[in-house]
Amino acid sequence: MRVMRLIPPPTGPEARRCSLRLATCLLWAIALMSAAWVARAAAAPEAIEQFPSTQMGIRTRAGLEWFSVWIADSQAREQQGLMFVRWLPHDHGMLFPQAAPQVMTMWMKNTLIPLDMLFIDTQGRIVYIRENTTPQSQDLISTPTPVKAVLELAGGVCAGLGIHVGDRVEHRLFGAAAAGPVVN
């Protein structure tokens, strides 16, 4: 038979030190859990429906094609872009406007669908197109000249609608706002 001896709890200064150590450990645990919760909340993507949206047209050789586009109008929205979107209608997209023309560099990290990226100058002219980008790729996609905006559409839309370099985007951002699509 084994005899167990119970050790009495500490008293006096030793009890205070033990209590302080326990309290310190609990505070650290709470702080770490809070930091993890805040980081998770900060990283949560904004619902794309919350982004501002607009209508824009692209004038091709075949005529004017209309798109409903969300606008990445802040740094957080620009960084999020179309990340985590699982499906994009062929008449929707996202516009990344810039305050001043600059060389734009994009990537597909956390983007689950292929995209067509249209790089647009200050006059609304498409100066470069990168079609059917690779989902989740971290390869950089850039244009050799400064642009006013990038428009992302579902992969294959440019080929399907005959959108080419030199076509014009009609939107107030580029000084040429078309009247809007005709709704029957």
Side-chain angles (χ1 to χ4, degrees):
M1 177 159 135
R2 191 168 177 182
V3 176
M4 294 183 70
R5 292 189 191 159
L6 295 177
I7 301 173
T11 58
E14 189 177 322
R16 272 192 296 264
R17 280 194 299 272
C18 189
S19 294
L20 282 173
R21 283 187 201 125
L22 180 60
T24 302
C25 287
L26 285 173
L27 285 174
W28 273 106
I30 291 169
L32 288 173
M33 290 184 339
S34 296
W37 181 80
V38 168
R40 188 177 314 133
E46 179 180 358
I48 199 165
E49 294 80 19
Q50 299 301 313
F51 283 46
S53 62
T54 188
Q55 297 285 316
M56 67 181 348
I58 299 178
R59 190 163 300 281
T60 69
R61 292 178 191 115
L64 192 58
E65 299 291 342
W66 286 101
F67 298 90
S68 294
V69 296
W70 294 286
I71 302 171
D73 64 342
S74 69
Q75 186 175 14
R77 288 176 172 161
E78 191 172 284
Q79 289 174 355
Q80 178 180 330
L82 291 171
M83 286 182 174
F84 311 110
V85 171
R86 296 190 179 281
W87 179 76
L88 184 64
H90 281 74
D91 63 345
H92 281 66
M94 182 166 287
L95 184 66
F96 297 80
Q98 302 302 302
Q102 61 181 312
V103 172
M104 297 274 304
T105 302
M106 311 290 279
W107 68 350
M108 296 289 291
K109 181 179 180 182
N110 297 323
T111 305
L112 307 176
I113 57 174
L115 298 173
D116 289 349
M117 293 182 182
L118 294 74
F119 294 81
I120 308 162
D121 71 11
T122 56
Q123 305 303 309
R125 190 171 63 90
I126 299 170
V127 296
Y128 179 68
I129 299 175
R130 183 69 170 271
E131 294 185 56
N132 281 309
T133 56
T134 305
Q136 301 199 41
S137 171
Q138 293 188 32
D139 294 341
L140 299 179
I141 301 166
S142 187
T143 181
T145 60
V147 294
K148 178 73 174 167
V150 176
L151 175 62
E152 293 180 340
L153 302 173
V157 168
C158 287
L161 296 177
I163 298 173
H164 300 285
V165 168
D167 289 346
R168 298 233 176 235
V169 175
E170 296 187 10
H171 187 267
R172 66 183 173 274
L173 178 67
F174 309 108
V182 176
V183 179
N184 294 337

